[in-house]
């Protein structure tokens, strides 16, 4: 039966709707409120709190098609993409779920029914796998699932295979929900084997060849794995199944490759138009490998950027940058030297825009981000090719003819060269790559990343613990509430029989609270919790599922479960309210001035200031900033009402309320409307947003508004920092004091400062021009001194080490001296220093033939602290300044020793 991907997706959803499953839209690919994941890597991510018993499901059965990205952590398919026909970074996961309702029997029976009876897949080609048990985790084999396969389907026992934890025990990450799984595999025939040339290979399920492909994974979630690796049973049993749409489409459309399906063909056809080369679905083919990598990666980039990720040097942004650079580098393999990936975004929209309309809505923004990052990488890539050539030249001279793991890792980590491309380029020169050394360095990097995430463990460690519900609607009504202590969070455990003394740092859980928990960009409240016998300072407030946790320290007395307390929010809450409402006014004003395409990318609302990130391709002009400020101030002066209403989500959307893209909302949402008296007047409001934060009742309370900074965050994303209320008053007072001081210094009135400063700048410019045109005796002196240092330099092997102090000069003249020495003394390492006034300057230079052995910037990093300075530069030229000129001789003395040591170690 030939079905389009669209028909397959719809058929899957409709099948389970017929089994009383509710359709749930895909969650964003960038997870919301889950610090354990960089990207959504499975359909169950958005239901994690349900599986952990932290939230009550609104439905017992669900179905959807989830956007997934597997490029980090336990599930990382990045380096596999391109080398076969079925691995992907981005893919759609068709899934059905049971939250404490049906379990193994129904799951197995329905999966078989859909595949064989509805879609007509030949049952003789199918087989199933089940969990064989694991002694280390003290888990028995899943004999129950094995029996259901033979009971509810015609599969013989011989086609129900048992495998260990690696293949048949599913875990979302290092911690979290997990359980045994049962997979359905299809035999595509011996002609589909792609490992025929591998000695000893035998085609079999889980043997790693393309003959047997996993179609559907049925996961039976029963356990939670804690940070210490231990498994504990979950409060209820759940079902989570996942079938990759791309693989199903390849089978249903009778294609040898996922990349031949209609999920990819518009992209590969566009690539053919761009390059004149055709995609032939061959493995071990340079052109086809590049087509697969690019087609896969542009889908991943499009969805990740759509859902809020942007290329950067950390976290998920770092992963996105690597994906883009890998695709860009493969583009050069098929002659695409200039930025090209951004031109493929419309092709992705053609494939998937109907199912995921958010792509179409943000297409221009996605293209802008990708094009900017491609252009930037083009410059980095050229430098990376130089580094590769140097590494290859070094390997060519070695006995092993192998590029070192260090060099391969530098190419990966600094220049974005994926290891498979380094291997490909090495093969073209008859070289190999030390992949074991590379893997060691990669694991060290992963360990550092895991260590860096330990700060996020507070909420993660209490996952799986049953926590009480906190009544927190008081946060919208009052700053003080009487409550009772329900329990404490201490060392990752929830305690209901504890008592704490002064000095304890804990989390306090109350039966009700007026504290706002950090969410939606607004910081959590701080304040106090007071009982007759003790006083607790709340430093921050967080929420886990429906439980509000007040984190802080006990400053006096004692607190115990059952104590009657008064919870009081700090007066900072008033400033936070002003800034939050001003953030809504700012978004409205930006759309009025810059256009409706402006969309919020993130925000931070705190008592001191507000920060707002939004999509826009270029810096705002001073005139645009002024217009935005005037619009916001106009609404403040008008003293307009601010109304809040809780509505069903579809009704909120009908009245035009804006949702923050990628935010997680329930079936009911709270709408904040500026310009409306109450819920009945929502249609009259000019600003309507989904928002759970705290706000002022009238805009006049904000008093004033000013943008103090507008800057770039990343390609296509701008950031505004602004002030309101008392924070703005303090800011303006400080600026007024500065103006008064300047007026005194310049001996003019405040009104004449600009005129006086302009005159001074003009005079300085004229003086600098005169100095530049005057003859420079100092340059000649510096060159003469440098020649003298060359004559008396020391040598290590054939390398000249030239270290010395110059008479007072300029940086330009000292650089000229280093350039002269480089030409005369190659190979050479040069370190020069001079004193000018109360500052010392150090410069280091390395000839190009030595930069792989010793770096100028590394030399200065070691010696510049002696002069209490710092700096940096390139491997062949670096500069540092310091405030201890009297220590310059000591620094130069140590320089020679540093250079000798580095040369010796190499």
């Amino acid at each position: 039966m030939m079905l389009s991907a669209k028909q397959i997706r719809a058929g899957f959803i409709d099948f389970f709707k017929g089994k009383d499953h509710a359709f749930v839209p895909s969650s964003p690919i960038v997870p919301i409120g889950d610090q354990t994941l960089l990207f959504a890597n499975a359909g169950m991510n958005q239901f994690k709190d349900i599986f952990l018993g932290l939230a009550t499901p609104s439905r017992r059965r669900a179905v959807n098609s989830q956007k997934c990205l597997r490029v980090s952590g336990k599930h990382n398919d990045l380096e596999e993409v391109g080398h076969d026909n079925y691995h992907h970074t981005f893919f759609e996961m068709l899934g059905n779920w049971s939250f404490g309702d049906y379990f193994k029997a129904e799951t197995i029976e329905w999966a078989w029914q859909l595949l064989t009876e509805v879609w007509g897949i030949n049952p003789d080609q199918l087989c199933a796998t089940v969990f064989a048990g694991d002694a280390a985790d003290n888990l028995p084999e899943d004999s129950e699932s094995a029996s259901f396969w033979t009971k509810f389907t015609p599969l013989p026992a011989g086609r129900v295979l048992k495998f260990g934890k690696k293949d048949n025990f599913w875990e979302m990450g290092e911690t979290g929900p997990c359980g045994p799984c049962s997979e359905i595999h299809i035999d595509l025939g011996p002609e589909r084997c792609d490992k025929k040339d591998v000695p000893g290979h035998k085609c079999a399920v889980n043997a790693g060849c393309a003959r047997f492909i996993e179609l559907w994974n049925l996961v039976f979630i029963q356990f939670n794995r804690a940070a210490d690796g231990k498994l504990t049973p979950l409060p209820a049993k759940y079902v989570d199944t996942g079938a990759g749409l791309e693989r199903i489409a390849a089978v249903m459309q009778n294609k040898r490759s996922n990349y031949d399906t209609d999920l990819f063909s518009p992209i590969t056809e566009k690539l053919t138009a761009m390059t004149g080369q055709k995609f032939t679905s061959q493995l071990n083919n340079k052109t086809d490998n590049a087509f697969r990598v690019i087609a896969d990666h542009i889908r991943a980039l499009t969805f990740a950027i759509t859902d809020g990720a942007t290329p950067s040097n950390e976290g998920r942004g770092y992963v996105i940058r690597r994906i883009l650079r890998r695709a860009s580098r493969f583009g050069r393999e098929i002659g695409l030297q200039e930025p090209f990936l951004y031109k493929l975004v419309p092709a992705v929209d053609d494939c998937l825009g109907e199912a995921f309309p958010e792509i179409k809505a943000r297409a221009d923004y996605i293209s802008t981000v990708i094009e900017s990052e491609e252009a930037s990488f083009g410059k980095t890539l050229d430098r990376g090719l130089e580094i590769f050539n140097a590494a290859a030249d070094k390997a060519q001279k070695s006995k092993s003819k192998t590029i070192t793991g260090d060099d391969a890792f530098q190419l990966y980590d600094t220049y974005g060269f994926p290891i498979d491309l380094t291997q490909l380029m090495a093969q073209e020169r008859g070289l190999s790559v030390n992949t074991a050394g590379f893997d060691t360095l990669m694991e060290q990097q992963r360990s550092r990343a895991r260590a860096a995430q330990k700060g996020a463990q507070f909420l993660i460690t209490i996952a799986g613990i049953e926590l009480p519900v906190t009544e927190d609607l008081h946060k919208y009504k009052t700053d003080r509430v009487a409550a009772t202590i329900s329990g404490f969070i201490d060392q990752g455990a929830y305690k209901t029989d504890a008592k704490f003394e002064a000095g304890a740092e804990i989390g306090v859980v109350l039966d009700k609270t007026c504290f706002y928990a950090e969410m939606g960009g607004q910081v959590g409240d701080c304040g106090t919790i007071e009982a007759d016998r003790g006083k607790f300072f709340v430093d921050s407030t967080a929420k886990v599922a429906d439980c509000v946790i007040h984190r802080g320290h006990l400053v006096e007395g004692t607190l115990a479960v059952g104590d009657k307390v008064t919870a009081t929010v700090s007066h900072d809450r008033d400033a936070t309210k002003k800034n939050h409402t001003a953030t809504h006014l700012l978004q409205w004003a930006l759309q009025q001035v810059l256009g409706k395409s402006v969309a919020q990318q993130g925000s931070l609302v705190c008592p001191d200031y507000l920060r707002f990130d939004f999509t826009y391709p270029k810096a705002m002009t001073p005139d645009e900033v002024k217009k935005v400020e005037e619009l916001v101030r106009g609404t403040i002066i008008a003293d307009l009402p601010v109304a809040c209403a809780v509505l069903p989500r579809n009704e909120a959307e009908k009245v035009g309320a804006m949702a923050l893209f990628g935010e997680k909302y329930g079936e009911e949402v709270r709408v904040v409307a500026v310009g409306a008296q109450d819920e009945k007047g929502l249609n009259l409001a000019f600003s309507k947003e989904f928002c759970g934060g705290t706000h002022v009742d009238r805009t006049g309370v904000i008093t004033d508004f000013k943008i103090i900074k507008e800057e770039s965050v990343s390609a296509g994303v701008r950031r505004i920092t602004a002030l309101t209320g008392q924070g703005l008053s303090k800011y303006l007072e400080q600026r007024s004091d500065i103006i008064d001081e300047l007026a005194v210094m310049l001996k003019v009135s405040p009104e004449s400062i600009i005129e006086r400063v302009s005159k001074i700048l003009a005079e300085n410019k004229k003086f600098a021009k005169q100095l530049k045109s005057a003859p420079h005796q100092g340059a000649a002196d510096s060159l003469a001194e440098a020649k003298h240092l060359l004559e008396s330099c020391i040598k290590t092997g054939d390398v000249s080490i030239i270290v010395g102090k110059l008479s007072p000069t300029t940086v330009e003249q000292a650089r000229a001296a280093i350039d002269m020495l480089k030409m005369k003394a190659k190979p050479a390492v040069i370190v020069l220093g001079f004193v000018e006034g109360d500052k010392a300057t150090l410069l280091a230079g390395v000839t190009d033939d030595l930069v792989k052995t010793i770096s100028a910037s590394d030399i200065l990093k070691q010696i510049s602290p002696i002069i209490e300075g710092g700096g940096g530069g390139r491997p062949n030229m670096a500069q540092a300044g310091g405030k201890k000129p009297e220590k310059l001789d000591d620094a130069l003395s140590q320089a020679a020793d540093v250079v000798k040591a580095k040369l010796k170690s190499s």
Side-chain angles (χ1 to χ4, degrees), residues 213-227:
I213 296 293
E214 174 200 331
L215 283 184
W216 202 341
N217 190 6
L218 315 178
V219 181
F220 308 117
I221 298 177
Q222 301 171 242
F223 306 103
N224 178 58
R225 190 177 293 279

Side-chain angles (χ1 to χ4, degrees), residues 473-481 514-515 569 573:
L473 289 177
H474 305 279
K475 64 192 175 191
Y476 299 126
K477 304 170 184 176
T478 182
D479 292 342
R480 176 176 294 186
V481 70
C514 56
F515 280 68
V569 177
R573 152 88 70 86

Side-chain angles (χ1 to χ4, degrees), residues 316-543:
R316 60 176 59 96
Y318 188 62
V319 176
I320 295 305
R321 175 164 283 168
R322 292 229 172 277
I323 295 173
L324 189 147
R325 290 183 170 187
R326 187 170 189 259
S328 181
R329 179 62 189 85
F330 270 97
R332 293 202 171 198
E333 295 292 313
I334 52 176
L336 296 170
Q337 304 294 328
E338 299 300 322
F340 70 94
L341 287 168
Y342 73 98
K343 298 177 182 177
L344 296 172
V345 173
V348 178
D349 183 30
D350 289 343
C351 298
L352 297 162
E354 185 177 346
F356 303 101
E358 59 267 27
I359 300 174
K360 189 180 296 293
R362 311 198 88 193
D364 291 343
Y365 165 67
I366 299 164
S367 297
T368 297
V369 172
I370 293 176
E371 183 180 12
S372 175
E373 182 69 15
E374 280 189 277
S376 173
F377 178 52
K379 301 170 186 175
T380 305
L381 185 58
D382 291 336
R383 176 62 180 147
L385 290 172
E386 293 176 18
I387 299 299
F388 171 80
N389 289 332
D393 289 342
K394 184 171 70 175
Q396 207 83 53
K397 297 173 184 176
S398 69
K399 290 183 179 179
S400 64
K401 305 294 182 187
T402 301
I403 292 175
T404 67
D406 286 339
D407 287 337
F409 184 75
Q410 182 190 14
L411 285 165
Y412 175 85
D413 192 51
T414 305
Y415 300 102
F417 276 49
I419 185 63
D420 51 355
L421 270 175
T422 300
Q423 289 176 295
L424 179 64
M425 293 164 65
Q427 289 169 7
E428 291 172 352
R429 296 186 56 165
L431 303 170
S432 60
V433 178
N434 181 357
T435 54
F438 173 85
D439 291 341
T440 298
L441 292 169
M442 279 295 295
E443 183 53 39
Q444 291 173 3
Q445 185 185 71
R446 293 188 188 104
S447 297
R448 290 192 294 271
R450 285 193 290 268
Q453 290 181 340
K454 286 184 178 177
Q457 290 298 312
F458 175 81
L459 299 182
I460 297 169
T461 54
I462 60 176
I465 300 172
E466 187 173 352
L467 297 173
V469 173
T470 308
E471 181 189 337
D472 69 342
L473 289 177
H474 305 279
K475 64 192 175 191
Y476 299 126
K477 304 170 184 176
T478 182
D479 292 342
R480 176 176 294 186
V481 70
T484 302
I485 295 179
S486 301
F488 300 96
I489 301 293
D490 179 42
Q491 297 181 343
Y494 178 60
K495 300 178 179 179
T496 57
D497 57 354
K499 179 179 179 180
F500 291 93
E501 307 287 340
E505 294 187 3
I506 51 177
V508 177
V509 178
L510 306 176
D511 64 335
K512 55 188 171 184
T513 185
C514 56
F515 280 68
Y516 180 86
E518 181 174 349
M519 192 177 300
Q522 180 175 329
V523 298
D525 284 333
C526 55
T528 60
I529 296 174
E530 294 187 69
D532 291 339
R533 296 175 297 171
K535 185 174 183 179
F536 183 83
F537 277 177
V538 179
D539 299 321
S540 64
T541 309
K543 196 170 188 178

